[in-house]
Amino acid sequence: MDSKQAPVVECSKYTKRVMLKTLLGRSDGGVGLIGQRVVIGGWVKSSREIRKQPVTPHSVPAQVVSTKDVTCSEVLQSRIPLLRSIMKVFGAGEYRVREKINVVFQPQPSVSILQISDGSCVPSLQVLVDSALATPCQVMATGTCVLIEGMLQQPSLQGKHVVELQAEKILHLGLVDQSNYPLSKKRLPLESLRDCSHFRPRTTTVASVMRIHNALTWATHGFFQDQGFLHVQVPILTSTDSEGFSEKFVVTTLLNKGKNYDQISSTENAGVSVEAIRASIKEKSKKVEELNRTNSNKEALFAAQQDLKKTQELVSQLESRQKANSGVTIETRKFDFSKDFFARQTYLTVSGRLHLESQACGLGNVYSFGPRFQAVKSESKKSLAETWMVDVEMAFSELEDAMECANDFLKFVCKRISEGYMEDLQFILKRIDKKVMERLQLTLSSSFERISYAEAIEVLRQVPGKRFQGKIEFGVSLTEEHESYLVDEIYKKPVIIYNHPKGLRPFYVHLNDDGMTVATFDVVLPKVGTVIRGSQSEERFNVLSSRMEVLGLQKQQYEWYLDLRRHGSVKTSGFSLMLEPLVLYATGLNDVKDVVPFPRSFGRANN
């Protein structure tokens, strides 16, 4: 018996197929598995057809007859049955019936060469499908889904592949309507893909981004679990304004009660002018005409056409709604929330910090990971209505502790990405951002610069010959432009800005001894700006209560939070991390709408 046994190809436990990452992610690219029979499944990314040697049409006669043996009378008899009967009666000749010659034409045999991807890795597997197994028109269309059993072999054609699959059986075939399939065109811009988010993961770019998104998620859990934090869930629905001044989504069931429709409004199109959209359509039409006239690249033209089409659909929908709801308006003050599902006004949460603090006061160090919602009408590339956030809270800790934890966390997740997802990073390096590895290494190797808000203002003021668009004065929020200049031009590394003016931060943060600033911090990264906001919470009942009165907050909403100060108060600190900007940082993309599976932003909730 041969002591060297063939390597066993590990199948997915629940689908009985081999993930392409298992084959192509090996150090030898799959060469060591040649000769193994496997089942793979995926979608056709690209294809081509190779014709085999042509085969001449062949005849399959029952009796071969030479045309020289056929007489004129036999031809007439074969064509005219009545003449054949007359000839028989007069014995004028014998008609010899000959069997017809059947000519069978066979299509020229070929091989379909498919590049198959299943989303588990960047490279695709080359699969050869003989036309005797499936015709090219069945399997070659981009997006076709296949489940194939075959033998791994050395490539039969020169190219970048070191292993290919010779198909022996097709177990499943999901056809594509090529005329309507959004990914039929090559190299579609990311902007146009946002309108078909259900198909985006089939592209190499979005698949790589989603794998890195997944890696950051698990690295987050890994870091906090390793450090002894408990993962707890905080509510998505809340009656508390967690920030004290944020724009919130109201949750109600009163609109479902038909008897209230005559009394309740509809400004669902508030702030959206049909006239403004019509004007926008004219501008977009001009842009399409200009791109056509100047023979611009097809990607830009396609994106412009799609944008115009969507805008035209939007104005049509708004006009229909206005016609249906003419004279009807919605005003929340007319709602009787005591008759609502929760018997009080309820919102989608914008932050989990307050609720998480109550858990920290009994469990120690805790974190939560979940969706947060902000009803901010912003077109910013870094803003989403629904975002995923990591909230962290630590008992018996102060501001310095939270800053140290945030620093360690970012270094940990950047290291995990750099070491475990090199293949995806190399793809991003080639196709999206040539500086992505440089940024990750900078985060790993550098010590974050720590400056107070007051110091940041002073540094920006002293920049010679530079004029910023936003004001640079104490009490005004630093803009993205300010933050970018600090990290990219002045310090050239991540920066932590702490002790902000109290008017810029939530009511619950610890008031510093100067009475003007609060114990807060922001972690600002190159390219993406602020990804973490943290603070030490105010543990003093009187100070917290006075701050709420100054801000005019309704204390009955926060009685449960004040109870934490009344009974066993403890110093706590923590932070909130916005996951999407962190994914931007690790992938080099520019818009958060391209790093989440189903983006929700102002004016957009497609599916």
Side-chain angles (χ1 to χ4, degrees):
M1 180 182 294
D2 188 356
S3 59
K4 292 184 179 180
Q5 296 183 348
V8 177
V9 185
E10 184 180 354
C11 294
S12 173
K13 182 178 180 181
Y14 303 108
T15 64
K16 305 301 185 294
R17 66 184 174 94
V18 176
M19 304 287 284
L20 295 189
K21 183 178 180 179
T22 306
L23 302 176
L24 307 177
R26 290 164 51 99
S27 59
D28 63 1
V31 172
L33 300 176
I34 287 176
Q36 297 288 306
R37 180 172 279 101
V38 297
V39 174
I40 64 99
W43 290 263
V44 176
K45 287 180 60 179
S46 62
S47 60
R48 59 194 176 103
E49 182 184 4
I50 292 183
R51 301 277 183 177
K52 293 183 179 181
Q53 290 297 324
V55 179
T56 56
H58 60 277
S59 303
V60 188
Q63 181 178 356
V64 180
V65 180
S66 172
T67 55
K68 293 182 180 179
D69 296 334
V70 182
T71 64
C72 181
S73 63
E74 287 177 333
V75 170
L76 289 174
Q77 291 181 59
S78 66
R79 302 296 183 189
I80 307 173
L82 178 61
L83 179 60
R84 185 168 65 241
S85 301
I86 295 173
M87 296 290 284
K88 275 187 177 182
V89 170
F90 290 96
E94 181 184 355
Y95 172 66
R96 293 174 294 172
V97 179
R98 309 180 191 275
E99 296 190 22
K100 293 182 180 179
I101 300 175
N102 296 319
V103 180
V104 180
F105 292 95
Q106 293 185 341
Q108 185 176 340
S110 65
V111 175
S112 300
I113 302 177
L114 314 177
Q115 305 302 323
I116 303 295
S117 173
D118 67 358
S120 64
C121 58
V122 172
S124 56
L125 178 65
Q126 184 164 284
V127 178
L128 276 57
V129 181
D130 195 280
S131 57
L133 193 61
T135 60
C137 63
Q138 289 180 302
V139 296
M140 287 183 61
T142 299
T144 301
C145 179
V146 294
L147 185 66
I148 291 176
E149 180 179 338
M151 185 77 73
L152 293 172
Q153 64 183 24
Q154 291 183 345
S156 53
L157 302 169
Q158 288 186 349
K160 63 180 180 179
H161 298 277
V162 297
V163 65
E164 67 183 16
L165 183 75
Q166 177 64 57
E168 296 176 349
K169 294 180 183 178
I170 295 182
L171 306 176
H172 172 78
L173 192 60
L175 303 180
V176 167
D177 180 357
Q178 201 73 358
S179 61
N180 292 319
Y181 183 56
L183 305 185
S184 296
K185 296 181 175 64
K186 304 295 183 184
R187 294 289 184 92
L188 290 173
L190 289 172
E191 293 81 359
S192 63
L193 289 174
R194 293 174 197 158
D195 293 324
C196 54
S197 51
H198 48 303
F199 286 126
R200 288 196 305 173
R202 299 188 189 182
T203 65
T204 306
T205 298
V206 175
S208 283
V209 171
M210 289 300 108
R211 286 190 291 268
I212 289 177
H213 193 294
N214 170 73
L216 288 170
T217 298
W218 282 108
T220 296
H221 286 290
F223 174 81
F224 290 111
Q225 291 293 325
D226 290 347
Q227 298 301 321
F229 285 70
L230 290 180
H231 177 254
V232 297
Q233 295 173 336
V234 296
I236 293 176
L237 299 174
T238 176
S239 60
T240 304
D241 183 352
S242 301
E243 299 292 339
F245 52 77
S246 52
E247 294 290 335
K248 304 173 294 297
F249 288 100
V250 177
V251 178
T252 180
T253 60
L254 295 178
L255 283 173
N256 295 331
K257 300 176 181 179
K259 62 182 180 181
N260 292 334
Y261 272 124
D262 293 336
Q263 303 172 356
I264 302 176
S265 96
S266 164
T267 51
E268 61 180 273
N269 299 328
V272 180
S273 167
V274 175
E275 289 72 21
I277 298 177
R278 287 200 189 102
S280 175
I281 288 176
K282 291 182 180 179
E283 293 299 321
K284 295 178 189 295
S285 298
K286 290 180 181 177
K287 183 178 179 181
V288 171
E289 291 174 4
E290 182 181 351
L291 290 172
N292 264 320
R293 186 172 58 255
T294 57
N295 293 321
S296 297
N297 67 74
K298 293 182 180 180
E299 293 181 9
L301 178 60
F302 177 77
Q305 290 172 334
Q306 290 294 105
D307 188 25
L308 175 61
K309 179 182 177 182
K310 293 296 179 182
T311 308
Q312 290 170 333
E313 291 175 355
L314 174 61
V315 75
S316 175
Q317 292 171 4
L318 291 180
E319 288 173 340
S320 299
R321 290 177 186 174
Q322 284 184 351
K323 186 176 180 180
N325 299 325
S326 57
V328 185
T329 57
I330 293 177
E331 297 179 7
T332 57
R333 63 176 177 269
K334 291 189 177 183
F335 285 109
D336 182 359
F337 286 102
S338 66
K339 297 179 181 179
D340 206 351
F341 186 88
F342 293 109
R344 63 193 305 174
Q345 195 158 343
T346 309
Y347 317 98
L348 295 178
T349 187
V350 299
S351 171
R353 286 286 304 280
L354 296 190
H355 290 92
L356 198 62
E357 189 179 326
S358 70
Q359 302 300 298
C361 289
L363 299 173
N365 294 348
V366 292
Y367 76 102
S368 181
F369 199 165
R372 309 288 182 257
F373 306 87
Q374 288 195 352
V376 179
K377 295 180 179 180
S378 171
E379 299 286 353
S380 170
K381 292 184 177 182
K382 298 176 184 177
S383 175
L384 288 173
E386 178 186 358
T387 184
W388 277 70
M389 192 172 287
V390 181
D391 290 315
V392 180
E393 204 70 32
M394 301 178 289
F396 306 99
S397 70
E398 300 184 6
L399 184 67
E400 185 71 24
D401 303 311
M403 288 194 289
E404 193 67 29
C405 181
N407 179 91
D408 292 345
F409 167 74
L410 286 174
K411 288 182 179 293
F412 179 89
V413 295
C414 287
K415 182 179 181 182
R416 181 69 65 88
I417 294 295
S418 299
E419 293 179 350
Y421 289 81
M422 186 55 67
E423 186 179 70
D424 288 300
L425 290 176
Q426 289 294 339
F427 173 80
I428 288 168
L429 197 68
K430 181 180 178 182
R431 293 288 186 87
I432 302 174
D433 187 354
K434 298 185 184 305
K435 293 185 177 181
V436 63
M437 290 297 297
E438 180 182 323
R439 285 198 306 273
L440 292 174
Q441 290 302 319
L442 179 67
T443 306
L444 284 171
S445 60
S446 64
S447 58
F448 293 9
E449 187 73 30
R450 296 191 185 187
I451 58 172
S452 69
Y453 167 87
E455 291 171 334
I457 291 293
E458 191 60 30
V459 168
L460 290 170
R461 278 177 176 168
Q462 294 178 3
V463 175
K466 174 68 177 177
R467 297 189 64 180
F468 295 98
Q469 292 182 354
K471 291 183 179 180
I472 305 175
E473 60 182 53
F474 193 90
V476 177
S477 294
L478 295 175
T479 65
E480 290 183 10
E481 182 188 20
H482 297 147
E483 294 176 343
S484 176
Y485 199 86
L486 287 169
V487 298
D488 294 328
E489 303 297 333
I490 297 178
Y491 298 106
K492 302 184 186 301
K493 61 180 178 179
V495 175
I496 297 178
I497 305 172
Y498 61 91
N499 287 351
H500 295 78
K502 62 181 180 182
L504 301 180
R505 294 301 152 119
F507 71 94
Y508 59 84
V509 295
H510 181 89
L511 185 66
N512 291 329
D513 294 340
D514 60 14
M516 299 173 58
T517 62
V518 286
T520 59
F521 72 94
D522 292 346
V523 180
V524 187
L525 296 181
K527 184 176 173 65
V528 296
T530 300
V531 295
I532 288 180
R533 297 190 188 278
S535 64
Q536 178 181 332
S537 298
E538 182 56 76
E539 78 281 6
R540 297 164 293 185
F541 178 87
N542 292 336
V543 177
L544 179 61
S545 182
S546 298
R547 181 117 170 92
M548 293 172 68
E549 289 178 3
V550 169
L551 295 174
L553 299 180
Q554 298 179 3
K555 283 193 176 181
Q556 64 182 36
Q557 274 192 31
Y558 303 95
E559 283 299 326
W560 67 270
Y561 188 67
L562 289 169
D563 276 347
L564 298 175
R565 275 74 184 161
R566 295 187 181 103
H567 310 292
S569 179
V570 62
K571 287 184 178 181
T572 64
S573 70
F575 58 83
S576 295
L577 162 81
M578 295 171 282
L579 183 65
E580 289 80 12
L582 188 59
V583 180
L584 286 183
Y585 185 67
T587 60
L589 294 176
N590 296 313
D591 198 315
V592 291
K593 301 178 192 66
D594 297 323
V595 302
V596 294
F598 299 96
R600 301 288 183 254
S601 60
F602 177 53
R604 298 179 73 95
N606 294 340
N607 49 13

